[in-house]
Amino acid sequence: MDLKSNHCSPVLTDPAPINKSRLGIHSSLLPYSQQGASFSSSKYVTIPRKKPAKLDDVRSNGWLDAMKSSSPPRKKLIKDLSVEVALDDADIAYSSWMLKYPSALNSFDQITNYAKNKKIAIFSDYDGTLSPIVDDPDRALMSNDMRSAVRNVSKFFPTAIISGRSRDKVYELVGLTELCYAGSHGMDIMGPLSHTVSDDYPNCIKSNDQQGKEVNLFQPAREFLPMIDEVFRTLVENTKGIKGAKVENHKFCASVHYRNVDEKNWPTIAQCVHDILKDYPRLRLTHGRKVLEVRPVIDWNKGKAVEFLLESLGLSNRNDVLPIYIGDDSSDEDAFKVLREGNRGYGILVSSVPKETNAFYSLRNPDEVMKFLNSLVTWKHEAAK
Ligand SMILES: O=P(O)(O)OC[C@H]1O[C@H](O[C@H]2O[C@H](CO)[C@@H](O)[C@H](O)[C@H]2O)[C@H](O)[C@@H](O)[C@@H]1O
């Protein structure tokens, strides 16, 4: 098979840009905006061959700006007094942003009032949501308290984790058998077999989970497996001279981390990824938190994964179901959008800084996520008395 050819299934694009005017947020309120590269919205994309690589490519096409704004600044770096004023300003900005995206903790009664007589389903991202962001992706461990909170939630509500990591890796990190898992930004989903999924998912197959239980396995980017593997190996080779760079193979996508790379070398790492994409027109770039991600150009994302899982759980097209999706990253916006568009449920953005989002509510950090999950369990417990 020619891994580099452009004979592809329907292709799409990055998450649709968020309509700032609808959100009514002035851009000065948004220090942390995650812009991806822009893509055509047509169903089939013709990608022209580009001229040989120059470092100028990544500077002129907005990649570097997106890389710089891809994760909130760390407060611990800000020490001197002169910046304290700026910090106060940041707090004011956050408070005014929260008028639009209220804390899910402060709005807990409102959420549970709406959830009365409804079946809640919980969807969560992993990094930055259930585990704090740390320098080394291999050390992004979930606390035991958080694990208990997720376990308890799953006793009352169907619960799924949808991560950018490989499904095996996120299962290894979370370690709970009672949940559903989707890896590679939803391109690798293992869901319950209890409900047969519709013909919309023709390639869904029956498989077995780690415990040997029969499950639905849906991998819409299956044909890309060898391509991603090849790209992963090339990226490892091409970035090995860049101190701090790390490449991960997530099976259906590859991540190139630059969190630990000196900023002066960001153009070089960006150029490595840029060059790969020129050779593989069936792959595209998305920006995560200090990570460049290479993934198939297929019309699939975390929002579609939520829809698939709802169907697999027998919870789609029902008025008595309230899906809640919690996430911190730009890839989670697809899921927030799906829930917001059909008035189907609530997105909760985890962010300590104001940010453009399609979510309804906000939480500051994984600690607040844990409090929210524990509150849901207490509420359900009380209601059952
Ligand atoms: O969808 P997610 O579960 O949030 O996964 C998104 C990416 O998470 C990981 O990277 C991020 O977290 C790391 C650990 O805290 C951090 O070092 C890195 O800078 C973040 O981008 C994971 O390593 C990526 O492959 C995932 O795509």
Side-chain angles (χ1 to χ4, degrees):
M1 179 170 51
D2 175 10
L3 296 180
K4 298 179 181 176
S5 72
N6 194 18
H7 300 147
C8 46
S9 43
V11 289
L12 270 190
T13 64
D14 235 5
I18 294 161
N19 182 337
K20 287 185 206 169
S21 58
R22 181 184 66 74
L23 297 175
I25 309 170
H26 190 271
S27 56
S28 62
L29 263 184
L30 304 167
Y32 171 30
S33 78
Q34 300 217 350
Q35 313 124 355
S38 61
F39 292 89
S40 158
S41 61
S42 62
K43 205 158 193 218
Y44 291 86
V45 178
T46 312
I47 297 151
R49 285 266 147 208
K50 291 180 190 140
K51 57 185 185 311
K54 285 195 286 142
L55 275 183
D56 274 356
D57 288 344
V58 295
R59 290 206 175 92
S60 59
N61 65 14
W63 281 37
L64 282 179
D65 291 339
M67 287 170 79
K68 281 179 188 152
S69 62
S70 80
S71 210
R74 296 193 180 186
K75 287 194 179 180
K76 71 177 183 202
L77 293 178
I78 302 169
K79 281 198 188 107
D80 67 272
L81 260 183
S82 59
V83 195
E84 254 176 39
V85 177
L87 263 186
D88 288 346
D89 283 350
D91 290 341
I92 292 164
Y94 193 81
S95 302
S96 83
W97 175 79
M98 277 175 70
L99 297 174
K100 187 104 189 156
Y101 304 102
S103 158
L105 286 173
N106 297 343
S107 312
F108 192 75
D109 290 348
Q110 195 183 330
I111 294 173
T112 47
N113 272 338
Y114 187 71
K116 260 185 205 142
N117 305 320
K118 289 190 166 64
K119 190 176 174 71
I120 292 180
I122 298 288
F123 298 91
S124 177
D125 171 50
Y126 181 76
D127 288 279
T129 300
L130 299 180
S131 69
I133 292 293
V134 293
D135 285 344
D136 180 358
D138 292 334
R139 301 186 68 83
L141 305 180
M142 195 174 166
S143 69
N144 286 333
D145 287 348
M146 180 65 97
R147 187 166 293 103
S148 302
V150 176
R151 181 189 289 114
N152 290 336
V153 150
S154 73
K155 286 180 188 154
F156 291 105
F157 315 104
T159 303
I161 312 278
I162 305 181
S163 172
R165 293 176 183 259
S166 73
R167 181 167 48 77
D168 287 347
K169 183 71 193 175
V170 75
Y171 171 70
E172 184 190 315
L173 288 165
V174 176
L176 296 171
T177 53
E178 44 277 81
L179 317 181
C180 299
Y181 292 90
S184 313
H185 294 294
M187 288 181 282
D188 187 5
I189 315 181
M190 203 168 248
L193 194 59
S194 43
H195 294 82
T196 312
V197 294
S198 67
D199 295 343
D200 291 349
Y201 309 107
N203 302 325
C204 180
I205 58 168
K206 296 198 183 359
S207 182
N208 295 91
D209 69 7
Q210 287 85 349
Q211 287 71 47
K213 200 169 73 196
E214 271 217 312
V215 288
N216 278 327
L217 180 66
F218 189 54
Q219 299 176 322
R222 204 176 172 77
E223 60 176 307
F224 288 86
L225 209 66
M227 189 189 288
I228 294 291
D229 194 52
E230 185 177 286
V231 162
F232 164 71
R233 282 184 279 110
T234 310
L235 283 168
V236 170
E237 185 58 30
N238 294 357
T239 58
K240 72 179 180 207
I242 306 173
K243 194 166 169 244
K246 182 179 176 82
V247 187
E248 289 178 301
N249 186 346
H250 294 314
K251 205 165 171 179
F252 298 106
C253 55
S255 297
V256 182
H257 291 273
Y258 57 93
R259 183 172 292 279
N260 303 316
V261 173
D262 193 317
E263 199 168 328
K264 73 175 186 317
N265 292 326
W266 289 7
T268 316
I269 202 164
Q271 195 64 48
C272 286
V273 177
H274 191 272
D275 291 346
I276 281 283
L277 291 180
K278 278 195 300 199
D279 285 343
Y280 295 87
R282 296 177 69 198
L283 300 179
R284 68 181 172 111
L285 166 83
T286 53
H287 291 267
R289 298 180 68 168
K290 299 275 185 274
V291 65
L292 299 171
E293 305 201 273
V294 175
R295 56 159 105 177
V297 188
I298 61 164
D299 183 14
W300 194 263
N301 54 44
K302 287 187 174 186
K304 302 224 172 210
V306 167
E307 288 177 325
F308 174 88
L309 278 163
L310 284 170
E311 191 163 326
S312 194
L313 289 158
L315 301 176
S316 57
N317 301 320
R318 283 173 48 173
N319 294 331
D320 62 343
V321 170
L322 178 66
I324 295 180
Y325 186 102
I326 314 174
D328 72 312
D329 210 344
S330 53
S331 64
D332 301 309
E333 290 295 333
D334 294 310
F336 296 153
K337 199 157 174 265
V338 158
L339 298 187
R340 180 184 272 272
E341 274 176 355
N343 268 334
R344 285 149 92 171
Y346 293 134
I348 302 178
L349 174 69
V350 184
S351 180
S352 59
V353 292
K355 193 173 149 188
E356 296 169 65
T357 183
N358 278 296
F360 262 87
Y361 294 106
S362 62
L363 290 168
R364 269 182 193 266
N365 49 38
D367 281 348
E368 287 201 358
V369 172
M370 189 167 76
K371 280 187 197 147
F372 179 76
L373 296 179
N374 286 336
S375 303
L376 278 177
V377 172
T378 309
W379 167 72
K380 196 69 187 173
H381 218 66
E382 295 293 316
K385 275 185 185 166

